[in-house]
Coordinates of all heavy atoms in Angstrom, one line a residue:
M1 N 48.4 -39.8 57.6 CA 47.4 -38.8 57.8 C 46.2 -39.2 56.9 O 46.3 -39.6 55.7 CB 48.0 -37.5 57.3 CG 46.9 -36.4 57.2 SD 47.3 -34.9 56.4 CE 48.7 -34.3 57.3
Q2 N 45.0 -39.1 57.5 CA 43.8 -39.4 56.8 C 43.3 -38.1 56.1 O 43.5 -37.0 56.6 CB 42.8 -39.9 57.7 CG 43.1 -41.3 58.2 CD 41.9 -41.8 59.1 OE1 41.2 -41.1 59.7 NE2 41.8 -43.1 59.1
T3 N 42.7 -38.3 54.9 CA 42.2 -37.1 54.2 C 40.8 -37.4 53.8 O 40.3 -38.6 53.8 CB 43.0 -36.8 53.0 OG1 43.0 -37.9 52.1 CG2 44.5 -36.5 53.3
I4 N 40.1 -36.4 53.4 CA 38.7 -36.5 52.8 C 38.7 -35.8 51.5 O 39.5 -34.9 51.2 CB 37.6 -36.0 53.7 CG1 37.8 -34.5 53.9 CG2 37.6 -36.7 55.0 CD1 36.6 -33.8 54.6
T5 N 37.9 -36.2 50.6 CA 37.7 -35.6 49.3 C 36.3 -34.9 49.4 O 35.3 -35.5 49.7 CB 37.7 -36.6 48.2 OG1 39.0 -37.2 48.2 CG2 37.5 -35.9 46.8
V6 N 36.3 -33.6 49.0 CA 35.1 -32.8 49.0 C 34.9 -32.4 47.5 O 35.7 -31.8 46.9 CB 35.2 -31.5 49.9 CG1 33.9 -30.7 49.8 CG2 35.5 -31.9 51.3
K7 N 33.7 -32.9 47.0 CA 33.4 -32.5 45.6 C 32.4 -31.4 45.7 O 31.4 -31.4 46.5 CB 32.7 -33.7 44.9 CG 32.4 -33.5 43.5 CD 31.9 -34.8 42.9 CE 31.4 -34.5 41.5 NZ 31.0 -35.8 40.8
K8 N 32.6 -30.4 44.8 CA 31.8 -29.2 44.8 C 31.5 -28.8 43.4 O 32.4 -28.6 42.6 CB 32.5 -28.1 45.6 CG 31.8 -26.8 45.7 CD 32.7 -25.8 46.5 CE 32.0 -24.5 46.6 NZ 32.8 -23.5 47.4
E9 N 30.2 -28.6 43.1 CA 29.8 -28.1 41.8 C 29.9 -26.6 41.8 O 29.5 -26.0 42.8 CB 28.4 -28.6 41.5 CG 28.3 -30.1 41.2 CD 26.9 -30.5 40.7 OE1 26.1 -29.6 40.4 OE2 26.6 -31.7 40.7
M10 N 30.4 -26.1 40.7 CA 30.5 -24.6 40.6 C 30.0 -24.1 39.3 O 30.2 -24.7 38.3 CB 32.0 -24.2 40.8 CG 32.6 -24.6 42.2 SD 34.3 -24.1 42.4 CE 34.0 -22.4 42.8
T11 N 29.3 -22.9 39.4 CA 28.9 -22.2 38.2 C 30.0 -21.2 37.9 O 31.0 -21.0 38.6 CB 27.6 -21.4 38.4 OG1 27.8 -20.4 39.4 CG2 26.5 -22.4 38.9
F12 N 29.8 -20.5 36.7 CA 30.8 -19.5 36.4 C 30.9 -18.4 37.5 O 31.9 -18.0 37.9 CB 30.5 -18.8 35.0 CG 31.5 -17.8 34.6 CD1 32.6 -18.2 34.0 CD2 31.3 -16.5 34.9 CE1 33.6 -17.2 33.6 CE2 32.2 -15.5 34.5 CZ 33.3 -15.9 33.8
Q13 N 29.7 -18.0 38.0 CA 29.7 -17.0 39.1 C 30.4 -17.5 40.3 O 31.1 -16.7 41.0 CB 28.2 -16.6 39.4 CG 28.1 -15.3 40.2 CD 28.8 -14.1 39.6 OE1 28.5 -13.9 38.4 NE2 29.6 -13.4 40.3
D14 N 30.2 -18.8 40.6 CA 31.0 -19.4 41.8 C 32.5 -19.2 41.6 O 33.2 -19.0 42.5 CB 30.6 -20.8 42.0 CG 29.2 -21.0 42.4 OD1 28.6 -20.2 43.0 OD2 28.6 -22.1 42.0
L15 N 32.9 -19.5 40.3 CA 34.3 -19.3 40.0 C 34.8 -17.9 40.3 O 35.9 -17.7 40.9 CB 34.6 -19.7 38.6 CG 34.6 -21.2 38.2 CD1 34.8 -21.3 36.7 CD2 35.7 -22.0 39.0
I16 N 34.1 -16.9 39.8 CA 34.5 -15.5 40.1 C 34.5 -15.2 41.5 O 35.4 -14.6 42.0 CB 33.5 -14.6 39.3 CG1 33.8 -14.6 37.8 CG2 33.7 -13.1 39.8 CD1 32.9 -13.7 37.0
N17 N 33.5 -15.7 42.3 CA 33.4 -15.4 43.7 C 34.5 -16.1 44.5 O 34.8 -15.7 45.6 CB 32.1 -15.8 44.3 CG 31.0 -14.9 43.7 OD1 31.2 -13.8 43.2 ND2 29.8 -15.4 43.7
N18 N 35.0 -17.2 44.0 CA 36.0 -18.0 44.8 C 37.4 -18.1 44.3 O 38.2 -18.8 44.8 CB 35.4 -19.5 44.9 CG 34.2 -19.5 45.8 OD1 34.2 -19.3 47.0 ND2 33.0 -19.7 45.2
S19 N 37.7 -17.4 43.2 CA 39.0 -17.4 42.6 C 39.9 -16.3 43.2 O 39.4 -15.4 43.9 CB 38.9 -17.3 41.1 OG 38.3 -18.4 40.6
W20 N 41.2 -16.3 42.9 CA 42.1 -15.3 43.5 C 43.2 -15.0 42.5 O 43.4 -15.8 41.5 CB 42.6 -15.8 44.8 CG 43.3 -17.1 44.8 CD1 44.7 -17.3 44.7 CD2 42.7 -18.4 45.0 NE1 44.9 -18.7 44.7 CE2 43.8 -19.4 44.9 CE3 41.4 -18.8 45.2 CZ2 43.6 -20.7 45.0 CZ3 41.2 -20.2 45.3 CH2 42.3 -21.1 45.2
N21 N 43.9 -14.0 42.7 CA 45.0 -13.5 41.9 C 44.7 -13.4 40.4 O 43.6 -13.0 40.1 CB 46.3 -14.3 42.2 CG 46.8 -14.2 43.6 OD1 46.6 -13.1 44.2 ND2 47.4 -15.2 44.2
G22 N 45.6 -13.9 39.6 CA 45.4 -13.8 38.2 C 44.2 -14.5 37.6 O 43.8 -14.2 36.5
A23 N 43.7 -15.5 38.3 CA 42.5 -16.2 37.8 C 41.3 -15.2 37.6 O 40.5 -15.4 36.7 CB 42.1 -17.4 38.7
I24 N 41.2 -14.3 38.5 CA 40.2 -13.3 38.5 C 40.2 -12.5 37.2 O 39.2 -12.3 36.5 CB 40.2 -12.4 39.7 CG1 39.9 -13.2 41.0 CG2 39.2 -11.2 39.5 CD1 40.1 -12.4 42.3
D25 N 41.4 -12.1 36.8 CA 41.6 -11.3 35.5 C 41.2 -12.2 34.4 O 40.5 -11.6 33.4 CB 43.1 -10.9 35.4 CG 43.6 -9.9 36.5 OD1 42.7 -9.2 37.0 OD2 44.8 -10.0 36.8
T26 N 41.6 -13.4 34.3 CA 41.2 -14.3 33.3 C 39.7 -14.4 33.2 O 39.1 -14.3 32.1 CB 41.8 -15.7 33.5 OG1 43.2 -15.6 33.5 CG2 41.4 -16.7 32.4
L27 N 39.0 -14.6 34.3 CA 37.6 -14.8 34.4 C 36.9 -13.5 33.9 O 35.8 -13.5 33.2 CB 37.1 -15.2 35.7 CG 37.5 -16.6 36.1 CD1 37.3 -16.8 37.6 CD2 36.8 -17.7 35.3
E28 N 37.4 -12.4 34.3 CA 36.8 -11.1 33.9 C 36.9 -10.9 32.4 O 35.9 -10.4 31.8 CB 37.4 -9.9 34.7 CG 37.0 -9.9 36.1 CD 37.8 -8.8 36.9 OE1 38.8 -8.2 36.4 OE2 37.3 -8.5 38.1
T29 N 38.0 -11.3 31.8 CA 38.2 -11.2 30.3 C 37.2 -12.1 29.7 O 36.6 -11.7 28.7 CB 39.6 -11.5 29.9 OG1 40.5 -10.5 30.5 CG2 39.8 -11.5 28.4
I30 N 37.0 -13.3 30.2 CA 36.1 -14.2 29.6 C 34.7 -13.7 29.7 O 33.9 -13.8 28.7 CB 36.2 -15.6 30.3 CG1 37.5 -16.2 29.9 CG2 35.0 -16.5 30.0 CD1 38.0 -17.4 30.7
E31 N 34.3 -13.1 30.8 CA 33.0 -12.5 31.0 C 32.8 -11.4 30.0 O 31.7 -11.3 29.4 CB 32.8 -12.1 32.4 CG 31.4 -11.6 32.8 CD 31.2 -11.4 34.3 OE1 32.1 -10.7 34.9 OE2 30.2 -11.8 34.8
E32 N 33.7 -10.5 29.9 CA 33.6 -9.4 29.0 C 33.4 -9.8 27.5 O 32.8 -9.1 26.7 CB 34.9 -8.5 29.0 CG 35.1 -7.7 30.3 CD 36.5 -7.2 30.5 OE1 37.3 -7.3 29.5 OE2 36.7 -6.6 31.6
N33 N 33.9 -11.0 27.2 CA 33.7 -11.6 25.8 C 32.6 -12.5 25.7 O 32.5 -13.2 24.7 CB 35.0 -12.2 25.4 CG 36.1 -11.2 25.1 OD1 36.2 -10.7 24.0 ND2 36.9 -10.8 26.1
D34 N 31.7 -12.6 26.7 CA 30.6 -13.5 26.7 C 30.9 -15.0 26.4 O 30.2 -15.6 25.6 CB 29.5 -13.0 25.7 CG 29.0 -11.6 26.2 OD1 28.8 -11.4 27.4 OD2 28.8 -10.8 25.3
K35 N 32.0 -15.5 27.0 CA 32.4 -16.8 26.7 C 32.3 -17.7 28.0 O 33.0 -18.7 28.1 CB 33.9 -16.8 26.3 CG 34.1 -16.1 25.0 CD 33.7 -16.9 23.8 CE 34.1 -16.2 22.5 NZ 33.9 -17.1 21.4
E36 N 31.4 -17.4 28.9 CA 31.3 -18.1 30.1 C 31.0 -19.6 29.9 O 31.6 -20.5 30.5 CB 30.2 -17.5 31.0 CG 30.5 -16.1 31.5 CD 29.9 -15.0 30.6 OE1 29.8 -15.2 29.4 OE2 29.5 -14.0 31.1
E37 N 30.0 -19.9 29.0 CA 29.6 -21.3 28.8 C 30.7 -22.0 28.1 O 30.9 -23.2 28.5 CB 28.3 -21.3 27.9 CG 27.1 -20.8 28.6 CD 26.7 -21.7 29.8 OE1 26.8 -23.0 29.7 OE2 26.3 -21.2 30.8
E38 N 31.4 -21.4 27.2 CA 32.5 -22.1 26.5 C 33.6 -22.4 27.5 O 34.2 -23.5 27.5 CB 33.1 -21.2 25.4 CG 32.2 -21.1 24.2 CD 31.2 -19.8 24.3 OE1 30.9 -19.4 25.4 OE2 30.8 -19.4 23.2
L39 N 33.9 -21.5 28.5 CA 34.9 -21.8 29.5 C 34.5 -23.0 30.3 O 35.3 -23.9 30.6 CB 35.1 -20.6 30.4 CG 36.0 -20.9 31.6 CD1 37.5 -21.2 31.1 CD2 36.0 -19.9 32.7
M40 N 33.2 -23.0 30.8 CA 32.7 -24.1 31.6 C 32.9 -25.4 30.9 O 33.3 -26.4 31.5 CB 31.3 -23.9 32.1 CG 31.2 -22.6 32.9 SD 32.3 -22.5 34.4 CE 31.5 -23.7 35.4
S41 N 32.6 -25.5 29.6 CA 32.8 -26.7 28.8 C 34.3 -27.0 28.7 O 34.7 -28.2 28.9 CB 32.3 -26.5 27.4 OG 30.9 -26.4 27.4
L42 N 35.1 -26.0 28.5 CA 36.6 -26.3 28.5 C 37.1 -26.9 29.8 O 37.9 -27.8 29.8 CB 37.3 -25.0 28.1 CG 38.9 -25.1 28.2 CD1 39.4 -26.0 27.2 CD2 39.5 -23.7 28.0
L43 N 36.6 -26.3 30.9 CA 37.0 -26.8 32.2 C 36.6 -28.2 32.4 O 37.3 -29.0 33.0 CB 36.5 -25.9 33.3 CG 37.1 -24.5 33.4 CD1 36.4 -23.6 34.5 CD2 38.6 -24.5 33.6
Y44 N 35.4 -28.5 32.0 CA 34.9 -29.9 32.1 C 35.7 -30.8 31.3 O 36.1 -31.9 31.8 CB 33.4 -30.0 31.8 CG 32.9 -31.4 32.0 CD1 32.5 -31.8 33.2 CD2 32.8 -32.3 30.9 CE1 32.1 -33.1 33.5 CE2 32.4 -33.6 31.1 CZ 32.1 -34.0 32.4 OH 31.7 -35.3 32.6
Q45 N 36.0 -30.5 30.1 CA 36.9 -31.3 29.2 C 38.3 -31.5 29.8 O 38.9 -32.5 29.7 CB 37.0 -30.7 27.8 CG 35.7 -30.7 27.0 CD 35.8 -29.9 25.7 OE1 36.8 -29.3 25.4 NE2 34.8 -30.0 25.0
T46 N 38.8 -30.4 30.4 CA 40.1 -30.5 31.0 C 40.2 -31.3 32.2 O 41.2 -32.1 32.4 CB 40.6 -29.0 31.2 OG1 40.6 -28.3 30.0 CG2 42.1 -29.0 31.8
F47 N 39.3 -31.1 33.1 CA 39.3 -31.7 34.4 C 38.3 -32.9 34.7 O 38.5 -33.6 35.6 CB 39.2 -30.7 35.5 CG 40.3 -29.7 35.6 CD1 40.1 -28.4 35.1 CD2 41.5 -30.0 36.1 CE1 41.1 -27.4 35.2 CE2 42.5 -29.1 36.1 CZ 42.3 -27.8 35.7
E48 N 37.3 -32.9 33.9 CA 36.1 -33.7 34.1 C 35.6 -33.5 35.6 O 35.4 -32.3 35.9 CB 36.4 -35.2 33.9 CG 36.7 -35.4 32.4 CD 36.9 -36.9 32.0 OE1 36.7 -37.8 32.9 OE2 37.3 -37.1 30.9
D49 N 35.5 -34.5 36.4 CA 35.1 -34.2 37.8 C 36.2 -34.4 38.8 O 36.0 -34.8 39.9 CB 34.0 -35.2 38.1 CG 32.7 -34.8 37.4 OD1 32.5 -33.6 37.1 OD2 31.8 -35.7 37.2
N50 N 37.5 -34.1 38.3 CA 38.6 -34.4 39.2 C 39.6 -33.3 39.3 O 40.7 -33.3 38.8 CB 39.3 -35.7 38.6 CG 40.4 -36.2 39.5 OD1 40.3 -36.0 40.7 ND2 41.4 -36.9 38.9
A51 N 39.1 -32.2 40.0 CA 40.0 -31.1 40.2 C 39.7 -30.4 41.5 O 38.5 -30.4 41.9 CB 39.9 -30.1 39.1
T52 N 40.7 -29.8 42.2 CA 40.4 -29.0 43.3 C 40.2 -27.6 42.9 O 40.5 -27.2 41.8 CB 41.6 -29.1 44.3 OG1 42.8 -28.5 43.6 CG2 42.0 -30.5 44.7
E53 N 39.7 -26.8 43.8 CA 39.5 -25.3 43.5 C 40.9 -24.7 43.2 O 41.0 -23.9 42.3 CB 38.9 -24.6 44.7 CG 37.4 -24.9 44.8 CD 36.7 -24.1 45.9 OE1 36.8 -22.9 45.9 OE2 36.2 -24.8 46.8
T54 N 41.9 -25.1 43.9 CA 43.2 -24.6 43.6 C 43.7 -25.0 42.2 O 44.3 -24.1 41.5 CB 44.2 -25.1 44.7 OG1 43.8 -24.6 46.0 CG2 45.6 -24.5 44.5
E55 N 43.5 -26.2 41.8 CA 43.9 -26.6 40.5 C 43.2 -25.8 39.4 O 43.8 -25.4 38.4 CB 43.7 -28.1 40.3 CG 44.6 -29.0 41.1 CD 44.2 -30.4 41.1 OE1 43.0 -30.8 41.0 OE2 45.2 -31.3 41.2
V56 N 41.9 -25.6 39.6 CA 41.2 -24.8 38.6 C 41.7 -23.4 38.6 O 41.9 -22.7 37.6 CB 39.7 -24.9 38.9 CG1 38.9 -23.9 38.0 CG2 39.2 -26.3 38.7
N57 N 41.8 -22.8 39.8 CA 42.3 -21.4 39.9 C 43.7 -21.3 39.2 O 43.9 -20.3 38.4 CB 42.4 -21.0 41.4 CG 42.8 -19.6 41.5 OD1 41.9 -18.7 41.5 ND2 44.1 -19.2 41.6
D58 N 44.6 -22.2 39.5 CA 45.9 -22.1 38.9 C 45.9 -22.3 37.4 O 46.6 -21.6 36.6 CB 46.9 -23.1 39.5 CG 47.2 -22.8 40.9 OD1 46.9 -21.7 41.4 OD2 47.9 -23.6 41.6
Y59 N 45.0 -23.2 36.9 CA 44.9 -23.3 35.5 C 44.4 -22.0 34.8 O 44.9 -21.6 33.8 CB 43.9 -24.4 35.2 CG 43.6 -24.6 33.7 CD1 44.5 -25.2 32.9 CD2 42.3 -24.2 33.2 CE1 44.2 -25.4 31.5 CE2 42.1 -24.4 31.8 CZ 43.0 -25.0 31.0 OH 42.8 -25.2 29.7
L60 N 43.4 -21.4 35.4 CA 42.9 -20.1 34.9 C 44.0 -19.0 35.0 O 44.1 -18.2 34.1 CB 41.7 -19.7 35.7 CG 40.4 -20.5 35.5 CD1 39.4 -20.2 36.6 CD2 39.9 -20.3 34.1
W61 N 44.8 -19.0 36.0 CA 45.8 -18.0 36.3 C 47.0 -18.2 35.3 O 47.3 -17.2 34.6 CB 46.2 -18.0 37.7 CG 47.2 -17.0 38.2 CD1 47.7 -16.0 37.4 CD2 47.7 -16.9 39.5 NE1 48.6 -15.3 38.2 CE2 48.6 -15.8 39.5 CE3 47.6 -17.7 40.6 CZ2 49.3 -15.4 40.6 CZ3 48.3 -17.3 41.7 CH2 49.2 -16.2 41.7
F62 N 47.5 -19.4 35.3 CA 48.8 -19.6 34.6 C 48.6 -20.0 33.1 O 49.6 -20.1 32.4 CB 49.6 -20.6 35.3 CG 50.0 -20.1 36.7 CD1 49.5 -20.7 37.9 CD2 50.8 -19.0 36.9 CE1 49.8 -20.3 39.1 CE2 51.2 -18.5 38.1 CZ 50.7 -19.1 39.3
N63 N 47.4 -20.3 32.7 CA 47.2 -20.7 31.3 C 46.2 -19.8 30.6 O 45.6 -20.2 29.6 CB 46.7 -22.2 31.3 CG 47.7 -23.1 31.9 OD1 48.7 -23.4 31.2 ND2 47.4 -23.6 33.0
S64 N 46.2 -18.5 31.0 CA 45.2 -17.6 30.4 C 45.4 -17.5 28.9 O 44.4 -17.4 28.1 CB 45.3 -16.3 31.1 OG 46.5 -15.7 30.9
E65 N 46.6 -17.4 28.4 CA 46.8 -17.2 26.9 C 46.3 -18.4 26.2 O 45.6 -18.2 25.1 CB 48.3 -17.1 26.6 CG 48.9 -15.7 27.1 CD 50.4 -15.5 26.8 OE1 50.9 -16.3 25.9 OE2 51.0 -14.7 27.4
E66 N 46.5 -19.6 26.7 CA 46.0 -20.8 26.0 C 44.5 -20.8 26.1 O 43.8 -21.1 25.1 CB 46.5 -22.1 26.7 CG 45.9 -23.3 26.2 CD 46.3 -24.6 27.0 OE1 47.0 -24.5 28.0 OE2 45.8 -25.7 26.6
I67 N 43.9 -20.5 27.2 CA 42.4 -20.4 27.4 C 41.8 -19.4 26.4 O 40.9 -19.7 25.7 CB 42.1 -20.1 28.8 CG1 42.5 -21.2 29.7 CG2 40.6 -19.8 28.9 CD1 42.4 -20.9 31.2
F68 N 42.4 -18.2 26.3 CA 41.9 -17.2 25.4 C 42.0 -17.7 24.0 O 41.1 -17.5 23.2 CB 42.6 -15.9 25.6 CG 42.5 -15.2 26.9 CD1 43.4 -14.4 27.4 CD2 41.4 -15.5 27.7 CE1 43.3 -13.8 28.6 CE2 41.2 -14.9 28.9 CZ 42.2 -14.0 29.4
R69 N 43.1 -18.4 23.6 CA 43.2 -18.9 22.2 C 42.1 -20.0 22.0 O 41.4 -19.9 20.9 CB 44.6 -19.5 22.1 CG 44.8 -20.1 20.7 CD 46.2 -20.7 20.5 NE 46.4 -21.8 21.5 CZ 45.9 -23.0 21.3 NH1 45.2 -23.4 20.3 NH2 46.2 -24.0 22.2
L70 N 41.9 -20.9 22.9 CA 40.9 -21.9 22.7 C 39.5 -21.3 22.7 O 38.6 -21.9 22.0 CB 41.0 -22.9 23.9 CG 42.3 -23.8 23.8 CD1 42.4 -24.6 25.1 CD2 42.3 -24.7 22.6
L71 N 39.3 -20.2 23.4 CA 37.9 -19.6 23.4 C 37.8 -18.5 22.3 O 36.8 -17.8 22.3 CB 37.6 -19.1 24.8 CG 37.6 -20.1 25.9 CD1 37.2 -19.3 27.2 CD2 36.6 -21.2 25.6
D72 N 38.8 -18.4 21.5 CA 38.8 -17.4 20.4 C 38.6 -16.0 20.9 O 37.8 -15.2 20.5 CB 37.7 -17.8 19.4 CG 38.0 -17.0 18.0 OD1 39.2 -16.7 17.7 OD2 37.0 -16.8 17.3
I73 N 39.4 -15.7 22.0 CA 39.4 -14.3 22.6 C 40.7 -13.6 22.2 O 41.8 -14.2 22.5 CB 39.2 -14.4 24.1 CG1 37.9 -14.9 24.5 CG2 39.4 -13.0 24.7 CD1 37.7 -15.2 26.0
N74 N 40.6 -12.5 21.5 CA 41.8 -11.7 21.1 C 41.9 -10.6 22.2 O 41.2 -9.7 22.2 CB 41.6 -11.2 19.7 CG 42.8 -10.5 19.2 OD1 43.7 -10.2 20.0 ND2 42.9 -10.2 18.0
E75 N 42.9 -10.8 23.0 CA 43.2 -9.8 24.1 C 43.5 -8.4 23.5 O 43.2 -7.4 24.2 CB 44.3 -10.2 25.0 CG 44.0 -11.4 25.8 CD 45.2 -11.7 26.7 OE1 46.1 -12.4 26.2 OE2 45.2 -11.3 27.9
D76 N 44.0 -8.3 22.3 CA 44.4 -7.0 21.8 C 43.2 -6.2 21.5 O 43.2 -5.0 21.4 CB 45.2 -7.2 20.5 CG 46.6 -7.8 20.8 OD1 47.1 -7.7 21.9 OD2 47.1 -8.5 19.9
E77 N 42.0 -6.9 21.3 CA 40.8 -6.2 20.9 C 40.0 -5.8 22.2 O 39.0 -5.1 22.1 CB 39.9 -7.0 20.0 CG 40.6 -7.2 18.6 CD 39.8 -8.1 17.7 OE1 38.6 -8.5 18.1 OE2 40.2 -8.4 16.6
D78 N 40.4 -6.3 23.4 CA 39.6 -6.0 24.6 C 39.8 -4.5 24.9 O 40.8 -3.9 24.7 CB 40.2 -6.8 25.8 CG 39.9 -8.3 25.6 OD1 39.0 -8.6 24.8 OD2 40.5 -9.0 26.4
S79 N 38.7 -3.9 25.5 CA 38.8 -2.5 25.8 C 39.2 -2.3 27.3 O 39.2 -3.2 28.0 CB 37.4 -1.8 25.6 OG 36.3 -2.6 25.7

């Protein structure tokens, strides 16, 4: 089977508009804490230019505790 690779640049807003399930909750918490730029830097460090939308979504969804720790977000203080 032949495949193609599609590279797509995304902003934080693009992530919110194109994510699903638990990744949306993670992104909303990041936005509430004004850590959008820090997240984008973390994602770049984690994936560089080699990730699918699904891989990024799953990272945001299943690694939210680690992401919050790395971005210095204390979930207990969220309103």
Side-chain angles (χ1 to χ4, degrees):
M1 173 192 298
Q2 291 184 334
T3 62
I4 63 168
T5 301
V6 177
K7 183 176 176 178
K8 180 178 180 181
E9 291 186 13
M10 298 182 81
T11 65
F12 183 83
Q13 194 60 47
D14 293 331
L15 285 175
I16 287 181
N17 293 337
N18 292 290
S19 293
W20 56 94
N21 293 333
I24 295 169
D25 297 330
T26 302
L27 291 168
E28 287 174 349
T29 299
I30 289 165
E31 187 173 45
E32 289 166 5
N33 285 273
D34 297 319
K35 298 284 187 166
E36 298 95 324
E37 289 297 319
E38 290 91 336
L39 173 69
M40 297 306 286
S41 292
L42 174 63
L43 292 175
Y44 183 80
Q45 291 171 357
T46 301
F47 296 106
E48 295 185 9
D49 287 333
N50 190 24
T52 66
E53 287 184 59
T54 300
E55 289 169 330
V56 172
N57 187 85
D58 288 353
Y59 177 73
L60 292 167
W61 183 2
F62 297 113
N63 297 289
S64 61
E65 289 180 18
E66 174 190 0
I67 292 167
F68 296 154
R69 181 182 58 77
L70 292 169
L71 299 181
D72 198 29
I73 294 173
N74 185 346
E75 289 182 278
D76 296 333
E77 295 178 5
D78 292 344
S79 29

